[in-house]
Amino acid sequence: MNRRGFLRNTIFGFIGAVLCPKNIFSTPIVNENNESVNNSDNIKIPKDLIKFAKDFSGNFKRLSNNGVYGSHCGKYQIKYVDYLRDTHSGQIMTTPYRVSNSTGIMEFSKLKMVDMPQSIIFNAVIWCYIVYKKPSDYIGADIKSIKCSVENGFSKKELFNQYCGIFKENLTEFNMDRIKQLSENLK
């Protein structure tokens, strides 16, 4: 990250910390307990998160190689690096994005996502938020994030095809079930 970007993020983060009370942070920069919910359908996607997802997906390809992208009020953050590495082994992961369940910070592999369309980047931000709120409900997050993406003007077919492409690298039984659930719920 260049010096100007670092200073901009630092200033926005400080201003956001002053302007946004910590008890309304949805995806925290500091620790916050996960909300206990029955399923992902109960999770409301905030309008400011949708705006942040649109901004990030529109600007993603113009960002420097490594850094942090923050919302203007400091409520949301995305850390983007060339490749995501497993926390324990240090091995490069095949996943293009993930969210830390302990901090809520979204992490994106810029090199894995650079050729993906804006729709899947937008969807990934929403997906990460839902998975932070309900860590064990990947299928629910898949369905809800795609529905949110479609409601915001993105193509259902393009999103589904991109999901299948992401899972192609890691065809586990669980990921096959995710694809099946998506196809059934998006008819």
Side-chain angles (χ1 to χ4, degrees):
M1 174 189 288
N2 63 27
R3 184 176 176 194
R4 178 177 281 164
F6 173 78
L7 291 173
R8 180 181 57 98
N9 285 336
T10 302
I11 290 169
F12 281 141
F14 177 74
I15 291 170
V18 171
L19 296 178
C20 296
K22 292 197 184 319
N23 62 349
I24 66 166
F25 278 12
S26 298
T27 303
I29 294 170
V30 295
N31 288 336
E32 172 185 312
N33 292 332
N34 285 333
E35 230 176 59
S36 177
V37 293
N38 294 333
N39 60 41
S40 294
D41 288 339
N42 295 337
I43 297 172
K44 301 287 187 229
I45 300 172
K47 289 180 182 177
D48 60 344
L49 175 67
I50 292 170
K51 181 184 180 327
F52 175 66
K54 285 180 183 177
D55 291 344
F56 181 72
S57 63
N59 294 319
F60 182 77
K61 293 182 182 186
R62 293 186 294 253
L63 298 175
S64 64
N65 286 344
N66 295 302
V68 176
Y69 189 88
S71 63
H72 291 294
C73 77
K75 192 173 180 181
Y76 307 104
Q77 280 190 349
I78 294 175
K79 179 181 174 185
Y80 56 93
V81 294
D82 290 338
Y83 292 102
L84 296 176
R85 294 193 177 272
D86 183 89
T87 310
H88 302 291
S89 69
Q91 297 292 321
I92 291 176
M93 299 175 65
T94 59
T95 186
Y97 52 88
R98 68 180 176 193
V99 64
S100 169
N101 288 333
S102 61
T103 65
I105 295 176
M106 302 172 209
E107 299 174 342
F108 285 70
S109 169
K110 189 162 195 276
L111 295 177
K112 287 214 175 261
M113 296 188 78
V114 74
D115 293 330
M116 291 184 180
Q118 183 178 358
S119 60
I120 199 71
I121 305 295
F122 174 89
N123 184 78
V125 174
I126 303 300
W127 183 89
C128 285
Y129 173 82
I130 295 167
V131 166
Y132 171 72
K133 291 295 189 178
K134 184 68 177 162
S136 61
D137 191 10
Y138 278 48
I139 293 171
D142 293 340
I143 294 166
K144 188 163 180 102
S145 65
I146 284 192
K147 286 181 179 179
C148 177
S149 298
V150 170
E151 289 170 4
N152 282 280
F154 296 107
S155 163
K156 186 188 307 184
K157 182 178 179 180
E158 179 181 65
L159 287 161
F160 182 75
N161 288 337
Q162 288 294 321
Y163 258 83
C164 292
I166 290 170
F167 293 147
K168 191 185 303 183
E169 290 184 32
N170 192 10
L171 276 179
T172 63
E173 188 175 325
F174 178 66
N175 284 344
M176 293 295 288
D177 189 40
R178 288 170 73 182
I179 291 171
K180 179 182 173 195
Q181 292 290 330
L182 271 175
S183 64
E184 289 174 4
N185 281 283
L186 297 176
K187 290 180 182 176

